[in-house]
Amino acid sequence: MSPNLRWRQTSVSLMSLNNSQVNSLDSLRFGFIASIVASVSLPLYISLPMVYAGEFGLPVAQVGIILMLVRLLDGFTDPLFGRLIDRTKEKRFQKWIIPACVILTIAYSAVLNPPSSALTKTSLLIYLAVFTLFVSLANGVISVALHAWPPCWTSELPEQKKLVNRREQFTVIGVITATLLVTQSQNTLFISYLFCLTVIIYFAANNLPGQGGTLTARNRLRLSALAPLRWTLTYLFLNALANAVAATLFLFFVTDYLLFSKGAGGQLLILYFVASLVGIPLWSKIITWLQPRMTLSISMTLSIIVFLTTISLDSSNAPYFWVICFLNGLIVGAELICPSLIISLKLSKNGDLKENPSTVFGVWSLLTKLSLAVAAGLSLPAIGLYGYNPGVSKGSVVLLAAYVGIPCILKLASLALVISEKPYGKNSL
């Protein structure tokens, strides 16, 4: 039997379990919630170092360490919050999302406007750590809830895809909006924007479908119950790590190897995000005919091919990098929507996992955050060890090798695991 036919049969069998349809208004309400998650994630690691190291004179290394530790701690709490969401009986997602949005907005306003005149440098570092942690924890709660919601809303994979697509579209829109505000240093306007998002989300999240709890979710999900996901989570983590390394080294590569200005680097990011926004509906149509796992493998293959063309670039033909950024943005549209659908299919085949979706997606959230921490913690020291010095080492071959080589190797390893996984075997999708 062909994989395509199996994929459609799986979709049909899931449809028989729950005939819930997703209307356009509800999908827009659901997707809009994601805009606040994306709007905070990027500025948190762009604007805060500028405020605390640039304006208040704190050592940039100490600010960086605090942000990294907060990210790691926040990641490890995601499965815990997922567990608590699973154990909430009624309106479980809005009961967690709405308070989290309020906490996030207040904490972010506080962290961008510290009472610097009343604090010593040590107190200022503690202040930064505390309120950044509140922002990250609240952001983590919203993210976990949004990822767990679609399989609880409907068991129809085409309907889940509508929700996932809308979520990722608003995520990208949130990133673009935040990038524009942060790069223009519009902190007051940005906080007002977050406040408006919170008010709208209060009404958007209210009484959306799929929020009923389950009695079986009261039982603790054992670590061994995640065994059917171990192969899937491994290749998804490797792919996320590849993307995280590329993101970590992006601005260094653009400014020190291709010799673009930082302003051009910001424009390239906007182009990348816009292309990914365009790519989401295109890949969604492909998923209709191919299973999500096969779609992901195709997108990774294309990503490797396009990324490898970067080797031919230097400062003399750097403008071609605009084309590469646009193509990579189109391709990454698949990598935004496939992981959630792949995990959702896994949940549908396992009772323990199906009754604890927030816990499972909390584990996935932990892994994505670990990929960001590992990328920064390993790639930057590695290129420094081999002689790269930011702002000084122009046209560094080490930087080129790291920016292109590490992500491609990781994606090849991920692709090998995807291909070697049995299509519909015991522990596969």
Side-chain angles (χ1 to χ4, degrees):
M1 186 180 297
S2 69
N4 290 353
L5 183 56
R6 286 171 177 160
W7 156 246
R8 289 172 186 156
Q9 285 183 346
T10 302
S11 300
V12 171
S13 65
L14 289 172
M15 288 180 188
S16 64
L17 297 176
N18 186 348
N19 292 322
S20 177
Q21 300 293 313
V22 178
N23 64 56
S24 298
L25 178 59
D26 283 350
S27 70
L28 284 171
R29 290 168 60 193
F30 169 78
F32 185 84
I33 302 170
S35 57
I36 197 168
V37 177
S39 296
V40 169
S41 299
L42 183 65
L44 192 66
Y45 293 90
I46 292 180
S47 60
L48 291 190
M50 295 173 62
V51 171
Y52 282 82
E55 295 182 20
F56 302 138
L58 296 181
V60 67
Q62 294 180 10
V63 173
I65 289 172
I66 286 176
L67 292 178
M68 185 181 71
L69 291 177
V70 165
R71 169 66 66 159
L72 289 173
L73 179 59
D74 162 40
F76 281 104
T77 59
D78 282 346
L80 172 62
F81 283 124
R83 179 65 189 153
L84 294 174
I85 293 172
D86 283 333
R87 297 186 66 176
T88 304
K89 290 184 178 180
E90 297 178 355
K91 298 183 179 180
R92 53 175 164 172
F93 295 120
Q94 72 182 63
K95 282 182 177 178
W96 285 89
I97 285 175
I98 293 173
C101 287
V102 174
I103 293 171
L104 184 149
T105 301
I106 294 173
Y108 201 89
S109 177
V111 79
L112 279 183
N113 298 281
S116 55
S117 59
L119 298 175
T120 64
K121 287 191 174 182
T122 301
S123 300
L124 200 56
L125 283 170
I126 295 172
Y127 181 94
L128 169 65
V130 170
F131 283 99
T132 302
L133 182 59
F134 275 116
V135 171
S136 293
L137 291 177
N139 204 32
V141 168
I142 302 168
S143 180
V144 169
L146 284 175
H147 279 78
W149 203 332
C152 297
W153 189 316
T154 175
S155 55
E156 297 185 33
L157 265 296
E159 299 303 306
Q160 285 188 33
K161 188 178 65 174
K162 290 180 185 177
L163 295 171
V164 172
N165 287 354
R166 196 68 71 193
R167 183 188 69 212
E168 298 306 327
Q169 287 168 348
F170 274 96
T171 296
V172 175
I173 291 171
V175 169
I176 294 172
T177 304
T179 301
L180 291 173
L181 292 175
V182 169
T183 53
Q184 297 300 318
S185 299
Q186 298 291 333
N187 288 340
T188 301
L189 182 59
F190 184 72
I191 292 171
S192 301
Y193 164 70
L194 289 182
F195 175 79
C196 292
L197 286 183
T198 300
V199 173
I200 297 172
I201 287 171
Y202 173 82
F203 295 101
N206 189 44
N207 291 324
L208 280 176
Q211 300 196 63
T214 57
L215 293 176
T216 52
R218 290 169 172 252
N219 299 320
R220 181 178 295 277
L221 181 67
R222 301 183 306 276
L223 189 61
S224 60
L226 294 173
L229 279 173
R230 64 182 183 274
W231 194 276
T232 302
L233 291 177
T234 299
Y235 66 69
L236 290 179
F237 171 76
L238 288 174
N239 189 53
L241 181 58
N243 293 334
V245 170
T248 300
L249 299 178
F250 177 80
L251 286 178
F252 296 107
F253 179 77
V254 166
T255 56
D256 285 348
Y257 186 80
L258 298 180
L259 305 185
F260 282 120
S261 66
K262 290 184 179 179
Q267 294 169 9
L268 284 165
L269 283 174
I270 296 295
L271 175 66
Y272 175 84
F273 293 134
V274 170
S276 67
L277 188 61
V278 173
I280 289 173
L282 297 178
W283 286 104
S284 179
K285 292 182 181 297
I286 295 174
I287 292 175
T288 302
W289 300 103
L290 301 175
Q291 52 171 308
R293 188 170 62 88
M294 182 174 292
T295 303
L296 179 64
S297 66
I298 292 172
S299 71
M300 286 194 293
T301 302
L302 292 175
S303 179
I304 293 169
I305 294 171
V306 171
F307 217 64
L308 283 174
T309 62
T310 308
I311 296 175
S312 64
L313 299 183
D314 55 31
S315 59
S316 65
N317 57 1
Y320 287 108
F321 191 64
W322 289 83
V323 178
I324 293 174
C325 279
F326 181 78
L327 292 176
N328 273 324
L330 283 177
I331 294 168
V332 86
E335 299 180 17
L336 291 174
I337 57 180
C338 284
S340 290
L341 294 175
I342 290 172
I343 294 174
S344 292
L345 276 173
K346 282 285 190 176
L347 297 183
S348 70
K349 297 182 179 184
N350 185 289
D352 288 340
L353 298 180
K354 185 178 181 180
E355 300 298 343
N356 295 273
S358 301
T359 307
V360 173
F361 279 102
V363 172
W364 169 233
S365 179
L366 165 62
L367 291 177
T368 57
K369 291 175 181 178
L370 281 178
S371 71
L372 293 170
V374 171
L378 295 182
S379 62
L380 294 178
I383 60 177
L385 183 64
Y386 283 93
Y388 171 69
N389 189 6
V392 177
S393 305
K394 302 298 183 179
S396 171
V397 177
V398 170
L399 182 56
L400 173 65
Y403 178 73
V404 177
I406 296 176
C408 285
I409 291 171
L410 290 169
K411 280 186 176 289
L412 282 170
S414 177
L415 184 60
L417 291 178
V418 174
I419 293 173
S420 61
E421 186 179 32
K422 296 179 181 179
Y424 285 87
K426 181 179 179 182
N427 289 327
S428 64
L429 179 60

